[in-house]
């Protein structure tokens, strides 16, 4: 799964740099992407991405210092960032959630050169994971942040630690969204989302790029409850 994701990442980066001279991607947190990031920092892939022309954001961050073991930035730093010279736009986990969300929005507007206040950034690629409750990024079931239609990044205070997450308008404006999902623990929620199209209760099922594509990369365990053969395993 991670090798497939690495190939998609490289292809997305090369397409973006050749067509627009830059590649803007939002990384996922959690543990699943660790093997992908390690692959990208290795000999098979490192030189295939023009990291100097790459801007790295995060889909979400836990509001902890960047040195904290729970930090999504720290996980990426340890597996990939220490090997590349990309333009890093981390969410400042050490700040107050609202301040960090506002700063993230400023970075987005500056990097994407958005002119009007209602403009939405269009990521070349957004990497996402799925929790066993169907959350994605830090968009959790029942959270007020699911209803956000104007802001680009919002604080999520109902979690401990609190989070900052990109909003659905940003996720759904991406050119390409790739979900990375592994493990038996995700099989039920994956089946609900992919086969029953049960988007109501599962935020991950509410990600549907309006002018882009959504790809689900699953390992066999996470795909084990899928019944239809149409899914390419
Ligand atoms: C986070 C992630 C979150 C993650 C899922 C899956 O900050 O935790 O952004 O959305 O992708 O919870 O996490 P695992 O990959 O650890 O299962």
């Amino acid at each position: 799964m991670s090798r497939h994701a690495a190939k998609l990442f490289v292809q997305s980066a090369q397409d973006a740099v050749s067509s627009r001279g830059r590649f803007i991607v939002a990384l996922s947190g959690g543990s699943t992407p660790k093997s992908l990031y390690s692959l990208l920092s290795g000999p098979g892939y490192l030189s295939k991405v023009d990291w100097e022309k790459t801007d790295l954001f995060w889909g979400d961050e836990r509001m902890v210092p960047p040195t904290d073991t729970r930090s999504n930035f720290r996980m990426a730093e340890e597996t990939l960032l220490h090997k590349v010279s990309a333009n890093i736009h981390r969410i400042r986990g050490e700040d107050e959630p609202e301040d960090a969300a506002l700063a993230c929005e400023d970075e987005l507007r500056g990097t994407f050169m958005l002119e009007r206040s209602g403009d939405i950034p269009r990521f070349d690629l957004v990497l996402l994971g799925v929790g066993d409750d169907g959350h994605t990024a830090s968009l959790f079931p029942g959270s007020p942040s699911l209803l956000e239609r104007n802001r680009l990044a919002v604080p999520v205070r109902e979690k401990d630690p609190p989070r900052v997450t990109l909003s659905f308008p940003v996720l759904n404006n991406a050119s390409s969204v790739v979900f990375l999902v592994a493990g038996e623990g995700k099989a039920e929620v994956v089946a609900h989302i992919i086969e029953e199209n049960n988007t109501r209760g599962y935020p991950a099922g509410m990600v549907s790029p309006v002018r882009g594509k959504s790809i689900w990369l699953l390992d066999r365990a996470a795909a084990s409850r899928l019944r239809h053969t149409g899914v390419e395993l």
Side-chain angles (χ1 to χ4, degrees):
M1 179 188 77
S2 295
R3 276 192 296 278
H4 197 121
K7 291 189 180 82
L8 284 176
F9 187 101
V10 166
Q11 189 59 60
S12 181
Q14 292 176 346
D15 291 350
V17 170
S18 62
S19 62
R20 289 188 5 265
R22 62 192 312 194
F23 173 48
I24 311 180
V25 53
L27 298 179
S28 176
S31 55
T32 303
K34 285 181 181 175
S35 53
L36 164 61
Y37 299 162
S38 297
L39 275 176
L40 291 173
S41 72
Y45 299 93
L46 186 65
S47 61
K48 294 179 179 172
V49 174
D50 189 334
W51 296 102
E52 308 257 332
K53 293 179 180 170
T54 297
D55 287 275
L56 295 175
F57 287 82
W58 275 258
D60 69 324
E61 184 55 279
R62 295 87 178 271
M63 300 315 290
V64 294
T67 51
D68 189 296
T69 54
R70 296 166 294 175
S71 164
N72 288 335
F73 165 79
R74 173 172 163 163
M75 183 274 275
E77 171 76 23
E78 289 175 339
T79 51
L80 174 61
L81 305 188
H82 69 288
K83 296 282 280 294
V84 303
S85 55
N87 306 293
I88 307 297
H89 308 273
R90 70 177 181 88
I91 298 171
R92 292 176 53 82
E94 65 274 30
D95 290 350
E96 284 299 309
E98 178 60 20
D99 295 340
L102 289 168
C104 176
E105 291 183 303
D106 287 346
E107 291 257 332
L108 286 166
R109 292 194 182 96
T111 303
F112 285 92
M113 296 179 276
L114 302 183
E115 288 163 5
R116 296 188 305 271
S117 63
D119 287 349
I120 307 281
R122 182 169 170 75
F123 278 94
D124 297 301
L125 175 63
V126 174
L127 298 176
L128 290 173
V130 182
D132 52 15
D133 62 354
H135 80 260
T136 191
S138 282
L139 295 162
F140 292 90
S143 169
S145 56
L146 301 182
L147 306 174
E148 180 57 52
R149 291 295 175 270
N150 299 304
R151 292 192 62 178
L152 306 179
V154 289
V156 176
R157 293 187 179 84
E158 62 266 28
K159 285 295 174 183
D160 181 20
R163 315 285 183 95
V164 165
T165 187
L166 297 185
S167 62
F168 276 127
V170 175
L171 301 183
N172 285 332
N173 197 41
S175 294
S176 180
V177 172
V178 174
F179 284 96
L180 294 176
V181 193
E184 174 70 35
K186 309 289 177 72
E188 188 171 345
V189 70
V190 162
H192 280 306
I193 293 171
I194 291 183
E195 291 196 322
E196 295 159 28
N197 202 16
N198 180 345
T199 60
R200 288 298 316 143
Y202 304 105
M206 296 161 70
V207 174
S208 176
V210 286
R211 290 176 295 121
K213 58 181 184 289
S214 183
I215 299 168
W216 285 69
L217 295 183
L218 311 170
D219 71 356
R220 287 195 181 284
S224 58
R225 299 278 182 91
L226 292 176
R227 292 181 303 282
H228 302 308
T229 55
V231 178
E232 177 191 342
L233 289 181

